[in-house]
Amino acid sequence: MGEELVLASKWDVGLDVVRFLWVGFFSSLPAWARYTVLALFGATLLYGFVSWLRNRSAAAPGAEETAPEDGGTAAEAPETVHDGETSVR
């Protein structure tokens, strides 16, 4: 059972978000319940944004910096230029 399953379409997720916000803004729930729903939605957005920033700023896989074999630092390593383009270490 190593297959990935898709249980909902993107449209289902969008409809659920609209329903969630509808309950938060326009339902006849008590104020504390509406504020809880809106706070959960806001926390979800904040978590998604922070996760996106964390993944965006993370180093690419396999791009680990290693020290040169001669014992020098990475800053002292010679630069390699390919066909007059940007220098690469």
Side-chain angles (χ1 to χ4, degrees):
M1 191 157 167
E3 302 170 4
E4 291 187 32
L5 298 174
V6 178
L7 300 176
S9 71
K10 291 180 182 179
W11 291 106
D12 290 338
V13 173
L15 183 61
D16 291 339
V17 168
V18 169
R19 267 192 276 175
F20 199 78
L21 289 174
W22 185 267
V23 167
F25 285 114
F26 303 114
S27 69
S28 61
L29 292 173
W32 65 268
R34 283 186 289 146
Y35 298 151
T36 302
V37 168
L38 292 174
L40 287 172
F41 185 74
T44 302
L45 287 179
L46 182 64
Y47 176 77
F49 180 70
V50 169
S51 296
W52 176 75
L53 281 178
R54 190 176 344 132
N55 290 336
R56 186 172 179 241
S57 64
E64 302 156 358
E65 292 190 27
T66 57
E69 294 176 9
D70 64 354
T73 63
E76 298 171 356
E79 293 183 359
T80 305
V81 179
H82 296 281
D83 299 327
E85 296 178 358
T86 307
S87 60
V88 180
R89 291 184 190 255

